Amino acid sequence: MKQSTFGEALELALRMRGWSAARLAKEINLDSSYIRRWIRGDRVPSLHSGHAGWIAQALAPGFESDSARQALHDRFLERGFTAEEASAVGPEGAIGWLKRLLEEAQVHALKLPREDRLQWKRESGAKANMDGIVAEIGRLSEALDNEGSNGRASEPNAASWDRPAIRSFSLGREQTLTTIVSLLEQSLVSDDGPLELLYTFQSENGTFEGYPSLAERWRQGIVEALRRGGRVRPLIKLNKNTNRSVALISDMIAYLGRGGGYEPRYFARYGIYEPPREIFGVAGSWMLVCLSSEQTGSIDSAFLHRDKQECEAIAGHFEQLAARTEPLLRYYSEEQYFEENTKKDRKKGNLLVNNRDLGAMTLPLELWETYLRRSLDDDTAIKRHMERISERMKHFLDDSQSTRIIHVCPMAAIEHLLFRGEYYASNRYRKPAGDDGIRHIEHLIVLLKTLKHYELSLVSEEQSRSIPLSYWDVKDDHTVTFGIPHTGQWTETYVVLTEGTLASAFGEYFHQIRQLITPKYRDKKEVIAWLESRLTEAKLAFGGNRHSPLDSDRPSVS
């Protein structure tokens, strides 16, 4: 008989134990999709990952008795395993022989091409009929789960299987990352109130790079922690690796607007740690020290600490690191944010705007004044706002003569304004009425026709599901501003980033997003044609008696 694959050995062990892939996954803190891929032969865990040992530890308590081992030995022979494999059911104990069986199958499977690993699933004659095995599981399970003549359910051998829900030591990258995510998720289901999450990012490779499902669980965990009023305090080493910086930006955008608890800081001294070492933890609960044990450029082992003094010592080290860092983001009041935006626009340079709504500089000045008078009763405040807007508009028009200004906006925002008379995002200063929406879009068309270096790229409804739109803009490589509206409220979170490396990476990220847009809707002539078409439809829908200020509202660009 041919030697078994890892997937075949694992499937049989699970069937004999009466467990599903999901049950095993829960026991060893893995996503069940990995277990199923192993069984199918799609993947085989690496030899140094430690998975064979963890699986053996989880399954072993049901195989401790001599009768159970003999029954399993017989089933292996019936299933078509070699005598050598079946003889792995030896005297060294259930954990030892299960581990040996899985590791031998693992070594064999890793030598095979993927197609050959899958082949056994299609060969009906190579192994005994699976239905016969399944029919006997009930009898075998009874032998496994009952010890002695009294028929009591067996208890796990404490000496051979004293495993906590999450191990104190994790080896292998997948297990290490699973431990990190599982600990965060456990913290979120506790009733200890808002948590304080501490972690570092000092390695070259992204922590969850190559593990998208774990990355998404980690991201969702942080979002949930912030939503509950928690603090998230990453300490980040920066370098010139653009891809690394873009990945950081993607996470940053996901966390902003969830409250003011996201507090990333960066080390003023550039460079990464080699070999990698990281800290993860929830203050007052647990701490993980993660290291790289091989030349992989990524953490692949973790030491879990729950003892109060140990956690305090590691948290103290974290605070020493934090003392050497500077805030990456600065949260501003509304007034501070408006002033910072004005200061940013005084510096000449390319302006890239990623927005789920039309940008502030696309409104004509007189419409801005109308909006402000609807929103504010204080003439002094209106005057101050108009002075800032006028100055910013002047810089916008001047810059567009020599530097690029590109705005990415969803088509739905324009249609929402034209046909519903509302802006897409809540904004207490922009309250349109009557033909205001028509006037705004007419002025936008004028800007596109008049300003040589001003461009608008449109995101269709279909593409909006895959193209990340938010509320930020980047001025050259020096300033990124975020004005993130809160759903259903007239409030926003105002954030500014001025660190040069990440500001530059935001520009790269913007262009990556823009390249995803259909080429037709990145072409200025096509965009103008689409806007004019929708404008005509809107006027017809409202009886054709809308104000048409195309000539009178043409901006001065002298």
Side-chain angles (χ1 to χ4, degrees), residues 225-237:
L226 292 169
R227 188 188 69 81
R228 297 182 185 185
R231 294 179 70 194
V232 177
R233 299 177 57 201
L235 305 181
I236 301 167
K237 277 272 191 180

Side-chain angles (χ1 to χ4, degrees), residues 55-334:
I55 293 169
Q57 263 194 330
L59 295 175
F63 297 128
E64 292 293 342
S65 70
D66 290 341
S67 60
R69 288 203 300 272
Q70 185 59 49
L72 186 63
H73 177 279
D74 294 341
R75 296 289 77 76
F76 279 175
L77 289 176
E78 291 176 16
R79 185 74 169 83
F81 281 67
T82 65
E84 290 77 15
E85 288 174 315
S87 296
V89 187
E92 68 267 38
I95 291 178
W97 60 255
L98 272 173
K99 183 172 183 286
R100 194 171 100 201
L101 177 71
L102 291 167
E103 285 179 342
E104 289 176 357
Q106 194 175 7
V107 169
H108 174 63
L110 286 168
K111 295 177 181 177
L112 298 174
R114 180 174 177 275
E115 186 64 22
D116 289 348
R117 296 202 305 268
L118 296 168
Q119 182 66 21
W120 71 273
K121 296 292 277 185
R122 297 191 291 268
E123 294 176 351
S124 58
K127 304 293 181 183
N129 186 280
M130 181 59 74
D131 292 339
I133 298 294
V134 173
E136 295 186 28
I137 285 178
R139 180 183 65 78
L140 183 58
S141 295
E142 185 177 350
L144 299 176
D145 292 332
N146 291 278
E147 295 290 341
S149 58
N150 58 10
R152 291 178 301 173
S154 66
E155 294 294 327
N157 185 321
S160 64
W161 194 52
D162 186 19
R163 182 179 64 85
I166 294 180
R167 298 171 183 277
S168 60
F169 172 65
S170 300
L171 182 61
R173 187 148 179 254
E174 188 172 306
Q175 183 65 23
T176 296
L177 300 182
T178 301
T179 296
I180 295 169
V181 172
S182 299
L183 283 165
L184 175 58
E185 291 173 341
Q186 282 190 6
S187 297
L188 288 168
V189 300
S190 70
D191 296 323
D192 298 332
L195 56 79
E196 182 179 358
L197 178 64
L198 318 174
Y199 66 94
T200 62
F201 178 33
Q202 306 174 99
S203 311
E204 175 67 26
N205 297 335
T207 301
F208 293 94
E209 188 174 313
Y211 294 84
S213 62
L214 288 170
E216 183 58 24
R217 285 171 59 189
W218 171 253
R219 180 180 284 189
Q220 290 304 316
I222 291 181
V223 168
E224 181 62 18
L226 292 169
R227 188 188 69 81
R228 297 182 185 185
R231 294 179 70 194
V232 177
R233 299 177 57 201
L235 305 181
I236 301 167
K237 277 272 191 180
L238 299 175
N239 66 3
K240 299 297 184 180
N241 184 330
T242 301
N243 290 335
R244 182 178 184 272
S245 297
V246 167
L248 271 172
I249 287 167
S250 179
D251 287 340
M252 189 181 300
I253 291 171
Y255 305 148
L256 283 170
R258 312 287 178 173
Y262 179 53
E263 304 169 15
R265 300 179 68 90
Y266 72 99
F267 294 89
R269 195 170 183 178
Y270 276 46
I272 50 98
Y273 279 142
E274 193 67 43
R277 56 188 184 274
E278 307 287 7
I279 293 173
F280 294 82
V282 168
S285 179
W286 56 269
M287 298 297 292
L288 267 179
V289 177
C290 302
L291 305 172
S292 171
S293 62
E294 297 190 355
Q295 298 291 327
T296 60
S298 304
I299 55 171
D300 58 17
S301 58
F303 301 82
L304 173 60
H305 300 265
R306 293 188 187 272
D307 177 81
K308 182 179 179 181
Q309 286 186 317
E310 293 176 6
C311 288
E312 287 177 349
I314 297 170
H317 177 72
F318 181 92
E319 296 300 341
Q320 288 189 65
L321 292 175
R324 302 181 180 185
T325 63
E326 298 178 16
L328 191 54
L329 301 175
R330 299 185 185 277
Y331 289 84
Y332 284 176
S333 68
E334 182 182 76

Side-chain angles (χ1 to χ4, degrees), residues 254-444:
Y255 305 148
L256 283 170
R258 312 287 178 173
Y262 179 53
E263 304 169 15
R265 300 179 68 90
Y266 72 99
F267 294 89
R269 195 170 183 178
Y270 276 46
I272 50 98
Y273 279 142
E274 193 67 43
R277 56 188 184 274
E278 307 287 7
I279 293 173
F280 294 82
V282 168
S285 179
W286 56 269
M287 298 297 292
L288 267 179
V289 177
C290 302
L291 305 172
S292 171
S293 62
E294 297 190 355
Q295 298 291 327
T296 60
S298 304
I299 55 171
D300 58 17
S301 58
F303 301 82
L304 173 60
H305 300 265
R306 293 188 187 272
D307 177 81
K308 182 179 179 181
Q309 286 186 317
E310 293 176 6
C311 288
E312 287 177 349
I314 297 170
H317 177 72
F318 181 92
E319 296 300 341
Q320 288 189 65
L321 292 175
R324 302 181 180 185
T325 63
E326 298 178 16
L328 191 54
L329 301 175
R330 299 185 185 277
Y331 289 84
Y332 284 176
S333 68
E334 182 182 76
E335 184 67 21
Q336 290 172 325
Y337 179 75
F338 290 159
E339 284 296 329
E340 190 65 29
N341 254 322
T342 305
K343 285 166 55 179
K344 173 200 72 179
D345 289 343
R346 289 173 186 151
K347 300 177 182 178
K348 201 172 188 65
N350 296 327
L351 177 65
L352 309 174
V353 183
N354 178 308
N355 207 317
R356 290 182 183 171
D357 211 336
L358 289 165
M361 295 299 98
T362 62
L363 280 116
L365 279 174
E366 63 271 21
L367 189 53
W368 256 123
E369 185 170 2
T370 299
Y371 285 169
L372 289 171
R373 294 200 176 280
R374 286 182 190 148
S375 307
L376 301 171
D377 296 326
D378 186 344
D379 287 341
T380 302
I382 293 171
K383 180 181 179 182
R384 186 172 64 252
H385 278 298
M386 285 304 299
E387 286 173 349
R388 276 194 294 243
I389 292 169
S390 297
E391 181 182 351
R392 292 189 64 199
M393 183 67 74
K394 179 180 183 303
H395 294 309
F396 172 80
L397 296 173
D398 289 344
D399 286 355
S400 67
Q401 300 306 301
S402 56
T403 58
R404 295 187 76 186
I405 299 176
I406 308 175
H407 180 192
V408 170
C409 174
M411 291 178 170
I414 293 166
E415 293 173 327
H416 199 78
L417 179 60
L418 285 174
F419 296 101
R420 298 189 59 178
E422 299 172 344
Y423 288 99
Y424 221 34
S426 299
N427 186 313
R428 69 191 185 101
Y429 295 114
R430 292 200 284 185
K431 298 178 180 179
D435 64 356
D436 291 342
I438 296 287
R439 295 173 63 197
H440 188 165
I441 301 305
E442 287 176 331
H443 184 73
L444 174 62

Side-chain angles (χ1 to χ4, degrees), residues 495-510:
V495 186
V496 176
L497 179 151
T498 55
E499 196 286 319
T501 299
L502 281 189
S504 179
F506 260 97
E508 177 65 27
Y509 183 57
F510 178 91

